[in-house]
Amino acid sequence: MSSLISYYPGNTMFHRLDPRVKIIFMLMFCTAVLLINDIGIAAMFFAVVVALWFSARLPVKLFWSFMKVLLPIAAFLFVIQAIFYPGETPLIKPLIPIGKGIGQVTLEGILFSVLLTLRLMAMIIMLPLISFTTPVQNFALGMVKIGLPYTLAYTMTTALNLVPLLQTETQVIVDAQKLRAMQTFEKGKLGEKLRAYPALVTPLVIGSMRRAQLMAVAMDSRAFGATKKRTYMEDITMDAVDWIFLAATIIFSIGIVYLSVKL
Amino acid sequence: MGENGAGKSTLCQMTNGIIPNSIGGKLAGKVLVHGLDTQEAGISVLATKVGIVLEDPETQLFASSVLSEVAFGPENLSIPPAEIQERVAWALETVRLKGYEDRLPTSLSGGQKQRLAIAANIAMRPDILVLDEATSQLDPVGVEEVLSVARELNQKYGMTVIMATDASEMIARHMDRVVVLNEGRLVADGTPREIFSNLNLFKKIMIRSPQVSQLAGRMQDEGRPFTSFPITVEEGKQVIIQMVGNGHPGSTGSKQPERYTIDAPTSILVDNLDYIYQPLNVHAVKGVSFEIKKGEFVALIGQNGSGKTTILKNLLGLLRPTSGKVLVAGKDTNVTAVAEMAQHVGFVLQNPDQQLFAQTVAEEVSYGPKNLGVSPEVIEERIEKALQVVGLEGRLDEFPPAMPKGDRAKVVIASALALDPEIIILDEPTTGQDYRGCHQIMQIAKAMHEQGRTVLFVTHHMALVAEYARRVIVLSGGKVILDDVTEAVFSKREVVRQAYIIPPQITELGQALPPELGLPRTPLTVETICQAVLQKALETHPQPEFGRN
């Protein structure tokens, strides 16, 4: 999915938020989500992400296309957990008695499933919310300002930029091999499929290595890494909204962690 | 100038210290740029002296917006932000990409990408701009765009521009000085006229002089002297007039080319093809119809974005028509699996590296027939035949990725040929190849044609179209605007220009001549006009140096 890392321009509060704040927000949010055990709080977290999605005025279509992928997975996990969670308040008797407590849908099982699903959904739709509202170069800048060496930050973001290119390349290679009568990509036995892979992977790897070498020449030619401290044309600065958002994130997350550890 | 592998790129990358500072190697001697030894001066210092634009538009752009691409260099040099902004604005203005600031570099056209690469370099304010084969992967419009920017940088800002290129007509028109390399050695250095009039040089090494100069060379060989050696169309015209006089009024030149008909079964039939790319709703092909008979040799030409690739993909069954019909070798591509099409159509990709994967040439070439379940004995026979056609006999055990570029292309052609298809489609097979490579590939295409196969090729290389194709289909804006014998197509100057196609120099020369000279109006090769001029010259000045032989 190349769309996972594309930037959707906008001028909402969330768009304008300092990338550093977004990175911290993302990290703290995910940690907190992993720690909570309360359905109410999980629902709130989920609601917060959804609210942010809509406040960022990202295309509604995009949201639904994510949901389309996510919901079946969530539903599957929901059912599995509901069936296998050992609980005490039976709701539905197992159709086939397998063993003690297994296969029995209990109230606890349902509640746990709801919690798990909410946590998962909140985390997963959090990531595109960040990437859709932040240009990649700002993300790199944010990482540098947090303290990462800029060569590392740039290497990471450059790799991200290459994803769509690699996808196009893969398509060209698949087409080329199909025209050499390779028919075993979509269908065919596993063994046949595995045999088809070198024809795809080898050109992709060799091509990527060539590309990486050439790209290194281009980057070096433009003085990449020439000075320890480089400048940035568009600097990022924290304004009042950023500080408030950051403070809220920190207080909120610490509160949640504190409560969940205590409980 | 020089063949692939003559040392052009290596030399280019020495000018800014990439060699040997980033890419290792043994270096003897010194490279001085503005008195700085490139081995001692740091990359950051050299980057402010020399900017370099590479051949592949894709690999030198890595930022996520046009703006940040251009800012990247100055930022690395720790320039204050306010000045970076100024420089970026200037650079984008100079390469005419103002207004594209927020665009994704990958979404630009080839010409735009190379101009962006220029902007990214000149934002570091170098005095020297090196273009290493920077135009060789572009279509004619892209080439013009890059050239005009380079020219402006040279004339307006006094920047030194160094181009590594084989495009001799371009050199003749724009450059002040030519350095010729061969097998890593400098073999000639002079003005374009000095270089191109050095006929011995071009007999020794496989590079090409402008067609007008080739013509002049032929005249000299035939003992027809002239006062000044021509390198451009205008100069060529003067030489010819000098040689054959002003002609007779009323004479209209040679006859109109005839439409040729071929009596053979249909090989490819495209009927009212429409193709719309979803989800962006791009109408790439609009009501295209043509028929290609078995055994034809056809060129498909047109600007990037004119619909060539979309049509090819429809022929191969990789895309299904939005409406209309495509029959290839009698198969309706709409309902035929791609793998089945592969038995009838051999496809040669522009970039061989996108399909080479095997450890040996033999394994590579046998991949297709093996997939089709051809018996080992027949496969062996086909490998042998295919390698013979492409001139790689006895090189069965070589490792394809390590072979030179020209040979890699040949392995790919052999792979297509091993499927024994009745139709061969080549998509820009000569891109990035030097003069020798181009002609070798076209000779192979010709050989496949002579075996009775239908050959369709896409190219931006008009001299090759003129020399090899019998029929040309011209696309523009998703429509067929011309479909005729090659000579007839190039004779329709205005229509061809509309499709941004620039005919070969020798054809332009023919068209620039006064019609009353009675010479071919649309010569396709140097030899055509050479013979005609010699004959006329004999009529007007009965052999000035007769008896010299």
Side-chain angles (χ1 to χ4, degrees):
Chain A
M1 247 197 260
S2 65
S3 54
L4 258 180
I5 51 153
S6 20
Y7 169 62
Y8 289 82
N11 198 23
T12 67
M13 187 271 283
F14 204 76
H15 273 96
R16 287 195 310 262
L17 218 49
D18 191 287
R20 282 168 288 186
V21 176
K22 285 189 203 174
I23 294 171
I24 294 169
F25 173 66
M26 184 173 70
L27 292 176
M28 292 203 127
F29 185 93
C30 289
T31 318
V33 164
L34 283 173
L35 285 171
I36 45 173
N37 279 316
D38 185 282
I39 290 195
I41 300 178
M44 191 183 71
F45 267 81
F46 181 68
V48 167
V49 191
V50 174
L52 283 173
W53 256 81
F54 283 92
S55 82
R57 304 227 179 96
L58 293 167
V60 182
K61 241 188 178 170
L62 210 60
F63 184 75
W64 289 122
S65 61
F66 264 97
M67 280 302 164
K68 244 194 251 165
V69 182
L70 203 54
L71 280 176
I73 302 172
F76 177 72
L77 279 177
F78 187 93
V79 172
I80 294 289
Q81 284 300 328
I83 293 175
F84 288 101
Y85 191 84
E88 276 152 15
T89 327
L91 292 176
I92 308 165
K93 284 253 153 72
L95 291 173
I96 314 149
I98 309 162
K100 213 182 165 198
I102 300 174
Q104 182 170 264
V105 176
T106 62
L107 180 63
E108 289 80 6
I110 298 277
L111 289 178
F112 183 72
S113 297
V114 172
L115 176 69
L116 196 75
T117 314
L118 283 172
R119 273 158 55 169
L120 179 83
M121 303 247 284
M123 273 201 294
I124 291 187
I125 59 175
M126 176 77 212
L127 302 175
L129 171 64
I130 303 281
S131 66
F132 288 165
T133 57
T134 320
V136 180
Q137 70 267 24
N138 285 8
F139 210 72
L141 188 49
M143 289 195 283
V144 172
K145 293 259 167 153
I146 285 174
L148 236 60
Y150 84 82
T151 39
L152 184 66
Y154 259 83
T155 312
M156 279 162 66
T157 51
T158 304
L160 277 184
N161 282 333
L162 287 181
V163 172
L165 215 60
L166 278 181
Q167 282 175 324
T168 327
E169 181 99 349
T170 308
Q171 191 54 49
V172 174
I173 296 170
V174 169
D175 282 352
Q177 306 301 37
K178 269 190 190 166
L179 288 161
R180 292 164 78 190
M182 178 196 71
Q183 10 188 340
T184 42
F185 258 126
E186 288 94 9
K187 44 192 185 206
K189 296 190 191 96
L190 187 67
E192 286 173 352
K193 266 190 186 165
L194 285 179
R195 245 172 294 146
Y197 270 92
L200 169 60
V201 175
T202 314
L204 197 61
V205 170
I206 294 181
S208 302
M209 276 161 32
R210 271 212 183 105
R211 187 191 300 278
Q213 273 173 355
L214 289 169
M215 202 169 262
V217 170
M219 288 179 105
D220 281 351
S221 302
R222 275 147 70 188
F224 183 59
T227 49
K228 271 253 153 14
K229 246 181 96 79
R230 85 204 277 273
T231 51
Y232 295 89
M233 178 175 63
E234 280 170 356
D235 208 357
I236 45 174
T237 45
M238 300 278 286
D239 62 13
V241 179
D242 291 316
W243 286 115
I244 294 169
F245 199 94
L246 183 63
T249 306
I250 293 174
I251 293 168
F252 205 65
S253 312
I254 290 178
I256 296 292
V257 173
Y258 177 73
L259 282 176
S260 51
V261 169
K262 213 181 150 192
L263 285 174
Chain B
M1 265 191 116
E3 289 183 62
N4 280 354
K8 295 178 304 220
S9 284
T10 310
L11 205 55
C12 284
Q13 289 176 13
M14 280 182 189
T15 55
N16 70 344
I18 288 292
I19 295 179
N21 297 335
S22 292
I23 298 173
K26 258 191 189 165
L27 180 74
K30 260 186 194 178
V31 180
L32 296 181
V33 174
H34 281 288
L36 293 169
D37 186 329
T38 56
Q39 283 188 84
E40 283 154 21
I43 286 180
S44 57
V45 176
L46 288 170
T48 63
K49 307 287 177 208
V50 184
I52 183 164
V53 178
L54 309 172
E55 173 175 3
D56 185 353
E58 305 280 335
T59 50
Q60 50 193 321
L61 304 176
F62 34 79
S64 51
S65 73
V66 166
L67 198 66
S68 52
E69 191 73 64
V70 182
F72 182 79
E75 286 176 344
N76 288 331
L77 298 173
S78 300
I79 310 271
E83 196 189 331
I84 297 180
Q85 273 170 5
E86 227 170 83
R87 287 182 177 206
V88 169
W90 168 78
L92 286 176
E93 172 103 53
T94 307
V95 304
R96 286 165 233 136
L97 281 178
K98 208 178 158 192
Y100 287 76
E101 285 83 355
D102 294 326
R103 288 276 294 273
L104 209 62
T106 45
S107 72
L108 302 176
S109 74
Q112 288 170 336
K113 280 179 188 157
Q114 291 300 61
R115 282 187 282 145
L116 175 57
I118 293 180
N121 277 293
I122 60 174
M124 294 189 284
R125 296 272 156 89
D127 309 310
I128 303 166
L129 182 66
V130 178
L131 302 170
D132 182 7
E133 298 276 5
T135 54
S136 67
Q137 295 199 5
L138 304 180
D139 62 9
V141 174
V143 174
E144 273 312 310
E145 287 173 9
V146 170
L147 265 182
S148 75
V149 166
R151 207 164 39 220
E152 186 177 323
L153 286 170
N154 173 256
Q155 286 165 0
K156 199 163 152 192
Y157 299 99
M159 210 177 270
T160 304
V161 177
I162 301 172
M163 287 184 90
T165 179
D166 274 345
S168 51
E169 276 101 17
M170 183 165 89
I171 294 174
R173 261 170 58 215
H174 302 293
M175 307 292 158
D176 302 320
R177 180 176 164 196
V178 188
V179 173
V180 182
L181 297 179
N182 190 42
E183 292 174 353
R185 291 172 197 280
L186 191 150
V187 291
D189 180 355
T191 63
R193 197 178 311 281
E194 284 163 8
I195 296 293
F196 294 138
S197 60
N198 181 351
L199 300 179
N200 276 329
L201 181 69
F202 289 88
K203 278 171 192 155
K204 267 188 290 186
I205 60 177
M206 279 294 272
I207 53 172
R208 205 177 53 91
S209 58
Q211 287 182 317
V212 165
S213 305
Q214 291 173 31
L215 176 66
R218 287 281 291 118
M219 297 297 164
Q220 233 169 41
D221 286 347
E222 297 287 337
R224 291 272 165 191
F226 37 83
T227 44
S228 159
F229 197 89
I231 57 174
T232 63
V233 169
E234 190 46 41
E235 293 166 7
K237 183 176 146 190
Q238 296 312 324
V239 165
I240 289 179
I241 290 176
Q242 197 186 333
M243 216 166 273
V244 302
N246 284 320
H248 311 283
S251 173
T252 52
S254 60
K255 57 181 176 6
Q256 282 297 305
E258 280 165 34
R259 178 84 178 91
Y260 82 117
T261 47
I262 204 166
D263 190 26
T266 302
S267 199
I268 296 173
L269 181 74
V270 176
D271 185 23
N272 217 3
L273 173 69
D274 254 60
Y275 193 84
I276 301 172
Y277 282 101
Q278 295 301 355
L280 292 173
N281 213 23
V282 180
H283 204 157
V285 174
K286 300 168 188 160
V288 164
S289 299
F290 58 83
E291 184 185 357
I292 296 175
K293 305 266 193 192
K294 196 166 186 297
E296 277 197 273
F297 199 149
V298 183
L300 186 63
I301 63 175
Q303 177 65 6
N304 282 354
S306 62
K308 299 186 305 278
T309 306
T310 309
I311 290 177
L312 286 194
K313 285 188 169 174
N314 272 283
L315 293 182
L316 297 161
L318 293 171
L319 294 176
R320 312 281 192 202
T322 305
S323 73
K325 199 165 193 161
V326 179
L327 289 179
V328 176
K331 307 270 175 210
D332 185 342
T333 59
N334 209 359
V335 294
T336 314
V338 176
E340 203 197 325
M341 292 309 303
Q343 305 178 33
H344 306 279
V345 193
F347 182 59
V348 177
L349 278 185
Q350 175 184 349
N351 181 356
D353 301 328
Q354 284 170 333
Q355 67 176 67
L356 295 176
F357 73 97
Q359 299 297 311
T360 65
V361 170
E363 193 190 332
E364 190 74 54
V365 178
S366 62
Y367 178 71
K370 243 184 218 161
N371 283 338
L372 289 175
V374 177
S375 72
E377 304 83 59
V378 178
I379 290 184
E380 205 152 296
E381 201 179 296
R382 287 212 193 152
I383 296 177
E384 196 180 312
K385 266 193 197 155
L387 290 182
Q388 202 182 346
V389 173
V390 302
L392 290 178
E393 303 99 322
R395 297 177 62 182
L396 290 165
D397 298 323
E398 282 185 42
F399 179 51
M403 298 168 89
K405 198 169 191 174
D407 288 346
R408 296 206 296 273
K410 288 180 203 164
V411 174
V412 167
I413 298 177
S415 303
L417 203 52
L419 289 162
D420 196 22
E422 56 182 271
I423 302 163
I424 296 265
I425 296 179
L426 305 110
D427 186 10
E428 296 188 36
T430 56
T431 302
Q433 301 281 355
D434 58 6
Y435 174 62
R436 183 201 297 264
C438 285
H439 279 273
Q440 283 179 347
I441 288 169
M442 290 316 293
Q443 285 297 339
I444 295 168
K446 201 172 155 192
M448 296 191 290
H449 174 241
E450 279 159 7
Q451 289 177 333
R453 299 178 209 274
T454 310
V455 178
L456 175 65
F457 71 108
V458 168
T459 188
H460 291 304
H461 210 141
M462 290 311 134
L464 296 178
V465 172
E467 197 170 336
Y468 291 95
R470 273 210 67 194
R471 172 181 162 194
V472 180
I473 299 174
V474 186
L475 290 170
S476 178
K479 291 181 181 159
V480 173
I481 57 164
L482 280 176
D483 178 359
D484 212 332
V485 275
T486 310
E487 203 179 351
V489 164
F490 284 128
S491 72
K492 300 201 175 74
R493 273 177 91 174
E494 295 311 311
V495 190
V496 167
R497 292 249 168 206
Q498 255 173 42
Y500 300 103
I501 285 162
I502 301 158
Q505 195 191 30
I506 204 70
T507 312
E508 293 207 298
L509 173 64
Q511 287 166 347
L513 293 172
E516 55 270 19
L517 292 189
L519 291 166
R521 300 292 295 143
T522 314
L524 297 179
T525 61
V526 173
E527 211 42 45
T528 323
I529 196 150
C530 177
Q531 293 304 332
V533 171
L534 285 175
Q535 206 185 342
K536 281 277 166 200
L538 211 61
E539 287 165 19
T540 37
H541 311 286
Q543 200 56 310
E545 285 173 62
F546 202 67
R548 210 173 88 160
N549 294 338

